[in-house]
Amino acid sequence: MLARARPGDAYRESNFDARLVTSGREDLILICFDDLIENLGVLEIAETRNDRAVRSRALTRCVTALTALELGIDREAEMATSLAQFYGAAKALLLDSIRVVDLDKIRELRDDLREIALAFRAAQRAARGG
């Protein structure tokens, strides 16, 4: 049913599911980052088009990804407290976006998440020796 109603959504969801099945812990973190970053972009587009349904779905996906990232924080890690605070602030911004979307703050969050994901990927490659 989803494929007939929204083929793009069906493709993204099946791609997401396939990545989840074949992933380790570090890969799952990157999947959450990628999904969050992508859905922040969808949120921006939906807001500019005043598409409430797409906006709602994007916000839900974003909050879900952030929750997974929060739950995945290694509490013994050096950056644990900083990450928890950052994710908490990001979630507050998204929950505030249910009423009013501040596109400038959403873009800033998306840029920050891209930087974090890039750093995480670099650390992951270094740990693998590549």
Side-chain angles (χ1 to χ4, degrees), residues 33 86 107-117:
F33 274 116
F86 176 76
R107 285 184 198 105
E108 185 178 328
L109 174 60
R110 193 170 183 213
D111 290 343
D112 290 345
L113 288 164
R114 282 183 179 137
E115 286 183 39
I116 293 169

Side-chain angles (χ1 to χ4, degrees), residues 36-37 39-41 43-44 55-56 58-67 86-102 105-107 109-110 113:
L36 179 54
I37 292 164
N39 279 290
L40 286 170
L43 175 60
E44 288 180 59
R55 178 180 151 203
S56 178
L59 278 168
T60 300
R61 292 288 300 251
C62 288
V63 171
T64 300
L66 267 173
T67 301
F86 176 76
Y87 294 155
K91 191 182 283 185
L93 170 64
L94 292 171
L95 293 175
D96 287 345
S97 295
I98 292 170
R99 290 173 292 156
V100 177
V101 176
D102 184 333
K105 287 184 181 179
I106 294 296
R107 285 184 198 105
L109 174 60
R110 193 170 183 213
L113 288 164

Side-chain angles (χ1 to χ4, degrees), residues 44-55:
E44 288 180 59
I45 293 167
E47 183 63 19
T48 59
R49 293 180 179 169
N50 200 28
D51 187 334
R52 301 299 224 185
V54 172
R55 178 180 151 203

Side-chain angles (χ1 to χ4, degrees), residues 3-33:
R4 282 184 269 143
R6 295 185 304 270
D9 289 346
Y11 172 78
R12 277 189 294 281
E13 192 167 319
S14 65
N15 184 41
F16 182 80
D17 291 345
R19 287 180 68 194
L20 282 178
V21 169
T22 61
S23 299
R25 184 179 192 283
E26 291 81 17
D27 295 325
L28 290 173
I29 293 168
L30 287 171
I31 290 169
C32 288
F33 274 116

